[in-house]
Amino acid sequence: MSENPPNGPQYGSTPDPDRPDLGKSSQPGEGGYPPPGNTPPGNYPPQGGYPPPGNYPPPGGYPPSGGYPPPSGNYPPPAGNYPPGNYPPPPGNYPPPPGNYGSHGSGFGGGLPPTLDIGGAITFGWNKFKDNAGVWVGIVLIAAVLQLVINLIFGGFDTSGDFSSNFNVLGIIGTLVGAIVTYLIQAAMVRGALHEVDGTKPTIGSFFQFANVAAIIIASVLIGVMTTIGFVLLIIPGIIVVFLTWWTLQFVVDRNEDAITAIKSSFRAISSNAGQLFLLALALVGINILGAIPCGLGLLVTIPITIIASTYAYRIVTSGQPVA
């Protein structure tokens, strides 16, 4: 009695195109898998029918296009230069936010630059003077003695009020020498103030650590000429020149700029923060007026405070970094 074949394809019926081995004879040597009987040594698996022909492995690139397994996030990481370690770079704060980099002093990537505070500048000048008062008073006394000696050599103690002696040869030479000494003393005080704002307590010898004497003299002479012309032109232009060239010696001594470049740099730097700096200049002028009242003795204190405070402001404005 025959049984009705079950529904669906039967083994040995029409071959499945994806399984070509179905329906083939299982006699030895006819490609069946596995062959009956003892498996012959070598050549295992036996030739033929394995892996079954067809699209396996799939043609073309492998893994197949479309990503397998599906990538999660940015994987693999995009091409680029990565620092060693932590590959791909960890999330968060990458790349670093913009900030003030490469400026003078510390504060790498420190965000917004500090603002100039008038009271802070004067307090800084007072504290630095107080911590090194002997040296600062000494340098002011040296400047005063040098001026006195020059006046004695070239002018004597003429109290007659006759200024005609200033226009003879000796008087002219004395004026030039006195002016040059004044310029160099001013540069020396700027050098000392730069040491203070950079965290180094200066000695007397530290004040004279500058080599660009020619630029100092040329810049000072040019400022003097421009100031004189400005005062002739109804005073106010002269005040503007004095104000805008305030930091010329700082640029010459600190950055070794030539005279013209230093004057231009001072113009730009002070113009960038003119309001606050003008108020600071007025405050420092007032302090020196008070210092001159007790027979000028107070200038031994107020002159150093003025130089240090103005150089502190110079460093804040030009570097954008806090001063220690």
Side-chain angles (χ1 to χ4, degrees):
M1 183 177 68
S2 62
E3 296 181 357
N4 292 328
N7 294 331
Q10 301 299 308
Y11 188 88
S13 62
T14 303
D16 186 346
D18 292 330
R19 295 291 304 274
D21 58 323
L22 296 179
K24 290 187 177 181
S25 172
S26 60
Q27 296 299 320
E30 294 185 7
Y33 176 79
N38 295 329
T39 302
N43 296 325
Y44 184 80
Q47 298 296 320
Y50 186 84
N55 293 327
Y56 182 90
Y62 186 82
S65 59
Y68 180 83
S72 59
N74 293 324
Y75 182 90
N81 296 321
Y82 295 98
N86 294 329
Y87 179 87
N93 297 329
Y94 186 90
N100 297 313
Y101 303 102
S103 301
H104 188 282
S106 60
F108 182 87
L112 294 176
T115 56
L116 176 63
D117 178 65
I118 297 172
I122 297 173
T123 301
F124 181 90
W126 163 249
N127 289 334
K128 291 297 183 178
F129 167 78
K130 180 180 62 177
D131 293 341
N132 202 17
V135 171
W136 278 101
V137 170
I139 198 70
V140 175
L141 288 175
I142 289 173
V145 169
L146 286 175
Q147 290 293 344
L148 180 62
V149 169
I150 292 172
N151 289 335
L152 286 174
I153 292 174
F154 295 101
F157 286 102
D158 185 5
T159 58
S160 62
D162 183 10
F163 295 101
S164 61
S165 60
N166 294 331
F167 296 97
N168 58 33
V169 175
L170 194 61
I172 294 173
I173 294 174
T175 301
L176 293 176
V177 172
I180 291 173
V181 169
T182 299
Y183 301 153
L184 296 180
I185 288 293
Q186 290 174 347
M189 291 187 179
V190 167
R191 176 73 273 174
L194 287 168
H195 282 305
E196 294 282 12
V197 300
D198 291 338
T200 303
K201 185 179 291 187
T203 62
I204 292 294
S206 302
F207 283 79
F208 299 96
Q209 292 177 341
F210 54 85
N212 45 355
V213 175
I216 292 169
I217 294 173
I218 294 172
S220 300
V221 169
L222 291 176
I223 292 172
V225 171
M226 290 189 298
T227 302
T228 301
I229 295 174
F231 276 111
V232 170
L233 300 175
L234 302 176
I235 300 178
I236 293 179
I239 296 175
I240 294 174
V241 169
V242 171
F243 175 62
L244 293 178
T245 58
W246 187 9
W247 288 343
T248 299
L249 290 184
Q250 274 84 348
F251 280 102
V252 172
V253 176
D254 184 37
R255 304 192 180 186
N256 199 30
E257 294 183 354
D258 62 83
I260 301 297
T261 303
I263 291 173
K264 292 179 179 179
S265 297
S266 180
F267 266 72
R268 286 193 299 268
I270 292 179
S271 299
S272 69
N273 203 352
Q276 285 289 92
L277 290 173
F278 186 71
L279 294 176
L280 176 62
L282 290 178
L284 295 177
V285 169
I287 289 174
N288 282 289
I289 291 173
L290 293 176
I293 291 175
C295 301
L297 294 177
L299 294 175
L300 295 173
V301 176
T302 61
I303 288 176
I305 292 175
T306 298
I307 297 294
I308 297 172
S310 64
T311 305
Y312 168 90
Y314 157 80
R315 183 67 84 217
I316 289 289
V317 171
T318 59
S319 73
Q321 301 296 331
V323 176

